[in-house]
Amino acid sequence: MACINPEGTLSPSAKTVVSTLQKPSTLQELAQATNLPLYRLRSSLRELVDANLVAEENGVYKLTEAGET
């Protein structure tokens, strides 16, 4: 399941991840806060990183400038 739809909008699970990332978080913190299965969370984060909406550094995920808008 893609987290970014063909028209460029975010899926509901991606919106949940982005709204949770108002504060930088680890994968475990995101899993607890979103109640998303780890496989879906990892997939969403991978897509959001590829889209330059989220950045990962030393296991901590945070929104990029593009992701904050």
Side-chain angles (χ1 to χ4, degrees):
M1 171 176 260
C3 74
I4 301 174
N5 299 314
E7 60 274 353
T9 60
L10 297 178
S11 70
S13 62
K15 286 180 185 177
T16 299
V17 172
V18 168
S19 67
T20 303
L21 280 175
Q22 298 305 310
K23 174 188 116 180
S25 303
T26 65
L27 182 65
Q28 292 77 15
E29 291 167 337
L30 284 169
Q32 269 190 316
T34 63
N35 290 318
L36 291 172
L38 280 176
Y39 76 91
R40 179 170 288 159
L41 186 55
R42 285 187 183 110
S43 175
S44 293
L45 286 168
R46 198 170 25 254
E47 284 189 53
L48 292 167
V49 167
D50 288 347
N52 197 36
L53 299 174
V54 171
E56 183 269 332
E57 187 175 321
N58 297 321
V60 177
Y61 294 88
K62 63 180 183 175
L63 292 177
T64 63
E65 204 172 302
E68 291 177 353
T69 58

